[in-house]
Amino acid sequence: MPKLSIRNLDLRGKRIFMRVDFNVPLAPGGKEITSDKRIRASLPTIKYALEQGAQLVLASHLGRPKGKPNPEMSLKPVAARLQELLGQPVVMAPDCIGPEVDQLKAGNHPVVLLENLRFHPEEEKNDAEFARALAAGCDYYVNDAFGTAHRAHASTVGITKHVAKSAAGLLMEKELDYLGRVTNNPPRPCIGILGGAKVSDKIEVIENLLKFVDQLMIGGAMAYTFLRAQGRPTGKSLVEEDKIDLAKSLLEKSSKLKLPVDHVVTAELKEGAPYEEVETIPETMIGVDIGPKTREIYAAAIATAKSIIWNGPMGVFEKPPFDRGTVAIAKAVADSGALSVVGGGDSEKAVKAAGVADKISHISTGGGASLEYLSGIELPGVAALSDN
Ligand code: AMP
């Protein structure tokens, strides 16, 4: 790793400011956590630091409080859950900066959880004074919040200027390790699979992946903009008219781009709607999934892969039976035995729905951050960490 890891730090007797991603879903009212997956994801780093004799000041954002305190987005329920999971006291701070918080930090508490960072507008503005106040009293900084590493905020970037050393937590390290392995001289053949709604969201990803993958298979609605660029009919499918020229130039530049050869089409986009499988999309129909031949062609290519990067569903997978293309790809990726990295919330849902999540080498915890990484951009929250 080019960046320092928490494993490179001598933590004994040190106070660590640890940025975690405790942005958990809450039931209406904000009192009850509906999934503690994100808390569990950082447990190994938290436990490791405690075992090494560090004192922890944990911080996270939760929801979008827009720079104002909002009791419905308090981290209090997270403190309670974390306490259960750790089996030791977690002290909940009334805020994330200020004299009261400084006192708690200086007290004899092994774990202090700060209140929602985004209760202060200075967090997202990467305000220097706010960053200094966050770091007050802390020796080192550890970032385990991969999901916010693409944002240059006070708790992800600014704070690193006010501590002696800044390192990646174990979860962050794992994310960077897997993403690095599939993008930096990956085992070949390396296959990219991109789907989802829009070409415009993933232009930089397409351009960057084309630099190093051996094949890039396109599915989802973004395929129709490419088909239109080839002059093929797309009926009423989602097409980004203003991206057709760009799609054309990408197709001209690279023979690695693979497009669906058949499609599942429907007259009405709703669950259980009647559908047809066609090679040419009729004028009145909407393309909602890759067709059976495409599934076969893509799966055959995937079976030969030694590394795979997948982001975005192959169709409107939330509405069965239009999930079959996505499920087929999930199974093919799982069966390939290749080094596989899946990013983004939808692709994760798809591999779970297909029951193959445990056969994927790595499912990224950060949708936006993993897309930015795949665009070839250095994430600001990673760039800010100390060099190894
Ligand atoms: P993204 O967030 O860009 O990965 O896009 C995910 C969304 O793309 C999902 O909600 C899918 O339902 C949607 N999607 C995938 N294929 C299609 C399609 N053929 N038509 C409309 N939406 C689609």
Side-chain angles (χ1 to χ4, degrees), residues 64-83:
R64 294 201 173 112
K66 304 210 172 95
K68 284 196 296 268
N70 178 340
E72 294 192 3
M73 295 176 198
S74 167
L75 279 149
K76 275 184 203 141
V78 174
R81 185 74 192 113
L82 178 62
Q83 184 160 301

Side-chain angles (χ1 to χ4, degrees), residues 195-198 201-202 220-221 224 238 287-288 312-318 346:
K198 291 181 181 168
D201 289 343
K202 297 180 188 169
Y224 309 120
L238 199 64
V288 285
M314 296 291 102
V316 187
F317 78 111
E318 305 94 329
D346 281 332

Side-chain angles (χ1 to χ4, degrees), residues 241-360:
E241 300 287 342
D242 60 337
K243 293 292 173 286
I244 295 175
D245 284 344
L246 176 89
K248 205 179 273 178
S249 78
L250 287 169
L251 286 166
E252 279 162 8
K253 262 194 277 180
S254 181
S255 58
K256 294 174 180 176
L257 274 169
K258 306 293 170 208
L259 299 179
V261 298
D262 62 346
H263 319 275
V264 176
V265 296
T266 180
E268 213 186 345
L269 213 177
K270 64 168 197 200
E271 195 163 330
Y275 63 86
E276 285 171 48
E277 293 169 344
V278 299
E279 285 178 15
T280 304
I281 303 177
E283 222 170 287
T284 56
M285 301 290 247
I286 316 165
V288 285
D289 197 4
I290 56 173
K293 277 193 200 147
T294 308
R295 277 173 233 159
E296 259 179 53
I297 295 169
Y298 283 9
I302 290 167
T304 69
K306 291 281 181 288
S307 57
I308 297 168
I309 302 162
W310 178 19
N311 183 293
M314 296 291 102
V316 187
F317 78 111
E318 305 94 329
K319 296 192 169 77
F322 310 136
D323 59 342
R324 289 180 304 165
T326 305
V327 169
I329 295 303
K331 290 193 169 142
V333 172
D335 289 343
S336 70
L339 173 70
S340 54
V341 174
V342 171
D346 281 332
S347 323
E348 177 181 359
K349 274 185 215 151
V351 291
K352 290 202 167 139
V356 297
D358 59 337
K359 288 197 185 159
I360 306 295

Side-chain angles (χ1 to χ4, degrees), residues 40-355:
R40 288 176 186 275
S42 271
L43 274 185
T45 313
I46 294 170
K47 285 186 175 162
Y48 173 82
L50 291 171
E51 279 160 18
Q52 298 292 311
Q55 185 205 345
L56 289 182
V57 177
L58 302 173
S60 176
H61 74 284
L62 199 169
R64 294 201 173 112
K66 304 210 172 95
K68 284 196 296 268
N70 178 340
E72 294 192 3
M73 295 176 198
S74 167
L75 279 149
K76 275 184 203 141
V78 174
R81 185 74 192 113
L82 178 62
Q83 184 160 301
E84 281 169 19
L85 291 169
L86 280 177
Q88 72 175 79
V90 172
V91 174
M92 182 66 212
D95 200 346
C96 58
I97 55 165
E100 257 186 282
V101 175
D102 290 346
Q103 256 183 7
L104 282 178
K105 284 179 181 170
N108 200 15
H109 311 294
V111 189
V112 175
L113 175 60
L114 303 184
E115 185 53 286
N116 197 335
L117 292 159
R118 292 195 189 163
F119 284 178
H120 295 262
E122 294 88 350
E123 159 65 358
E124 291 183 80
K125 288 184 189 142
N126 193 14
D127 180 86
E129 272 317 305
F130 181 73
R132 184 193 302 277
L134 286 176
C138 296
D139 302 297
Y140 298 149
Y141 169 79
V142 168
N143 191 345
D144 212 28
F146 177 73
T148 46
H150 59 313
R151 306 271 180 238
H153 292 168
S155 70
T156 58
V157 172
I159 188 168
T160 59
K161 297 199 177 75
H162 306 287
V163 289
K165 287 177 187 173
S166 300
L170 301 177
L171 174 64
M172 174 74 90
E173 197 184 7
K174 185 171 171 223
E175 291 275 5
L176 297 177
D177 175 36
Y178 277 103
L179 283 163
R181 277 157 66 186
V182 289
T183 54
N184 184 9
N185 205 2
R188 301 202 173 273
C190 172
I191 291 190
I193 310 160
L194 279 183
K198 291 181 181 168
V199 179
S200 54
D201 289 343
K202 297 180 188 169
I203 294 168
E204 290 82 4
V205 179
I206 298 172
E207 286 175 340
N208 190 47
L209 291 188
L210 285 174
K211 289 181 196 157
F212 65 87
V213 299
D214 296 294
Q215 282 189 62
L216 182 55
M217 294 182 299
I218 303 288
M222 73 158 79
Y224 309 120
T225 301
F226 281 102
L227 290 175
R228 275 284 282 285
Q230 290 183 325
R232 313 224 13 215
T234 52
K236 289 199 155 55
S237 312
L238 199 64
V239 169
E240 285 175 279
E241 300 287 342
D242 60 337
K243 293 292 173 286
I244 295 175
D245 284 344
L246 176 89
K248 205 179 273 178
S249 78
L250 287 169
L251 286 166
E252 279 162 8
K253 262 194 277 180
S254 181
S255 58
K256 294 174 180 176
L257 274 169
K258 306 293 170 208
L259 299 179
V261 298
D262 62 346
H263 319 275
V264 176
V265 296
T266 180
E268 213 186 345
L269 213 177
K270 64 168 197 200
E271 195 163 330
Y275 63 86
E276 285 171 48
E277 293 169 344
V278 299
E279 285 178 15
T280 304
I281 303 177
E283 222 170 287
T284 56
M285 301 290 247
I286 316 165
V288 285
D289 197 4
I290 56 173
K293 277 193 200 147
T294 308
R295 277 173 233 159
E296 259 179 53
I297 295 169
Y298 283 9
I302 290 167
T304 69
K306 291 281 181 288
S307 57
I308 297 168
I309 302 162
W310 178 19
N311 183 293
M314 296 291 102
V316 187
F317 78 111
E318 305 94 329
K319 296 192 169 77
F322 310 136
D323 59 342
R324 289 180 304 165
T326 305
V327 169
I329 295 303
K331 290 193 169 142
V333 172
D335 289 343
S336 70
L339 173 70
S340 54
V341 174
V342 171
D346 281 332
S347 323
E348 177 181 359
K349 274 185 215 151
V351 291
K352 290 202 167 139

